[in-house]
Amino acid sequence: MTMTVEGHLRALPKVELHCHVEGAARASTIAELARRNGVALPVEDPEELFEFEDLNQFLDVYGVICRSLVTVDDFRRITYEALEDAVAAGVRYREMFVSPAFVMGFGVPLATVWEGVAQGLADAHADLPVRCRMVLDVDKPSGPAAAMELVAFAAEQDRDVLVGIGADSVERGIDHAAFAPVFAAAADAGLHRTCHAGEDGPAANIRTAIEQLGVERVDHGFRLLDDPELTRRVVDEGIALTSCPLSNVLIARVVPDVGHHPFIEQRRQGVRATLNSDDPGMTRTDVTDDFLAVHRELGADLHELEQVVLDAVDASFAPDDEKVALRSELGAEFARLRDMGSPLVDAAPVGASATGERR
Ligand code: ADE
Ligand code: ZN
């Protein structure tokens, strides 16, 4: 039996560490929930809103989408459906962001958001072959005081469901260092820490996230290579990037196509850059599309792509015993897929892998 490249990469079991539950919502679900909740969207079909000129414009649309999410069941449903779609993309383990500031701004209590998300996770764990933990993202423009309240909430939740704190939304004009006490409080509470940085902002924001916020991972880190000294530090300390190449093309628009993305060059320099979908509902992609794009446009070969998945296991906030089990499950699955006659096996690299020359 033979298998296509696309079939192989879709079936490849994956670990995804950067995906926003609101941005993963299906357009059809958003339209239905808006109708049911009596929320007027500016268009009939939310997909008509999904063309962005930059990150700030994307976040304006994000706010519009979030208006449709009101009840516990709305959050349960988008969480469950996000994981159904993850399974279709081959995801076996995911850490997913929820960013409650948007809906809290529309009067939805944090407890409603969290109850729905937790139910969605529990239902998905009962029905689907995927495991997921949540990271609560603070909204940078809402400032450190609001962020501190989210950390206090996170500290009280089941640590096996809510593993950590992140920070998202716009990057330009944000004083990242002002969040240092928030991240220190998260560390004191035993929460893991990550932060969006260097997406459409400079490498200096990545430095601040690492040096002043003490993050264990950097979300995006697109601009890392601009600072060679920081790059060395990221390599030496094994700090992973949760890269989102297609998002960077379609949302922040910091590169015209994946062929110009620094992902492979970052890996060639020893950075543990992983592959993630970011907002798959709003970009109408999934993480398999990112794997396909870095294969086709950056020449990543199968070995490299399997290694990306294993790096994501290491960079995850899962307990060590779960990482060991996951690595062995993935290794067996990689081998099984390699036996299915895929052209990716033993194929000459399309361009170059991280261990070879870049095109
Ligand atoms: N929230 C959802 N997606 C985001 C992104 N790509 N950057 C910053 N904040 C976000
Ligand atoms: Zn993101």
Side-chain angles (χ1 to χ4, degrees):
M1 176 174 158
T2 56
M3 180 180 228
T4 62
V5 167
E6 182 162 354
H8 191 162
L9 291 184
R10 185 150 293 279
L12 193 76
K14 303 174 190 73
V15 169
E16 190 176 23
L17 304 177
H18 184 159
C19 176
H20 302 260
V21 67
E22 305 91 340
R26 298 171 188 163
S28 55
T29 298
I30 291 294
E32 190 185 322
L33 296 181
R35 263 194 309 279
R36 193 177 300 166
N37 291 321
V39 173
L41 293 177
V43 290
E44 190 94 345
D45 177 359
E47 288 210 24
E48 287 172 37
L49 301 171
F50 296 168
E51 295 292 334
F52 322 104
E53 279 178 14
D54 60 16
L55 179 60
N56 289 46
Q57 196 189 81
F58 164 81
L59 289 159
D60 289 342
V61 176
Y62 206 82
V64 173
I65 295 301
C66 285
R67 277 196 173 274
S68 313
L69 306 170
V70 178
T71 68
V72 167
D73 196 62
D74 297 346
F75 287 94
R76 183 206 58 76
R77 178 167 168 186
I78 63 163
T79 303
Y80 187 90
E81 289 181 354
L83 292 171
E84 278 185 327
D85 295 342
V87 169
V91 175
R92 299 292 174 86
Y93 179 84
R94 177 185 269 179
E95 283 163 15
M96 189 153 65
F97 297 121
V98 58
S99 311
F102 285 90
V103 294
M104 287 169 73
F106 303 134
V108 177
L110 177 55
T112 298
V113 177
W114 188 248
E115 194 183 330
V117 167
Q119 266 182 32
L121 282 194
D123 290 353
H125 289 159
D127 296 348
L128 305 170
V130 65
R131 181 84 171 83
C132 178
R133 293 186 170 86
M134 299 302 298
V135 173
L136 194 64
D137 258 7
V138 306
D139 178 58
K140 295 179 201 169
S142 299
M148 202 58 110
E149 287 178 20
L150 285 188
V151 170
F153 176 86
E156 298 300 315
Q157 307 310 313
D158 181 344
R159 203 47 56 80
D160 203 37
V161 179
L162 203 172
V163 268
I165 283 289
D168 67 15
S169 190
V170 298
E171 182 168 355
R172 286 181 256 152
I174 297 291
D175 173 11
H176 289 76
F179 290 86
V182 174
F183 278 75
D188 285 348
L191 289 158
H192 287 288
R193 284 119 19 238
T194 185
C195 180
H196 282 57
E199 180 183 9
D200 72 344
N205 290 346
I206 304 173
R207 184 179 283 279
T208 303
I210 291 170
E211 292 182 349
Q212 300 196 45
L213 308 186
V215 296
E216 300 160 86
R217 301 198 295 244
V218 174
D219 299 316
H220 291 291
F222 174 84
R223 297 235 65 93
L224 176 66
L225 299 180
D226 292 352
D227 184 337
E229 193 273 330
L230 183 65
T231 303
R232 263 196 307 283
R233 178 165 176 186
V234 163
V235 172
D236 290 347
E237 295 183 14
I239 297 169
L241 305 186
T242 65
S243 308
C244 310
L246 281 169
S247 162
N248 295 154
V249 172
L250 298 167
I251 295 177
R253 289 181 173 255
V254 284
V255 270
D257 51 50
V258 171
H260 289 81
H261 196 282
F263 177 78
I264 280 293
E265 181 59 20
Q266 289 170 339
R267 287 191 61 85
R268 198 188 63 75
Q269 293 195 26
V271 178
R272 289 197 304 171
T274 62
L275 283 174
N276 306 274
S277 63
D278 207 3
D279 295 290
M282 293 176 70
T283 49
R284 291 159 288 187
T285 64
D286 65 25
V287 69
T288 294
D289 296 318
D290 286 277
F291 276 76
L292 272 166
V294 301
H295 167 65
R296 290 179 176 149
E297 299 181 49
L298 287 170
D301 62 16
L302 180 59
H303 172 75
E304 185 80 45
L305 295 172
E306 290 173 345
Q307 195 54 49
V308 166
V309 177
L310 296 175
D311 285 349
V313 176
D314 291 346
S316 78
F317 298 149
D320 284 345
D321 57 346
E322 206 173 305
K323 289 187 187 185
V324 170
L326 198 49
R327 269 189 221 102
S328 97
E329 180 194 319
L330 294 170
E333 191 73 4
F334 291 164
R336 192 185 68 80
L337 289 170
R338 279 175 173 265
D339 282 343
M340 294 182 76
S342 159
L344 274 175
V345 178
D346 298 329
V350 175
S353 77
T355 47
E357 286 295 302
R358 194 173 178 208
R359 279 194 299 178

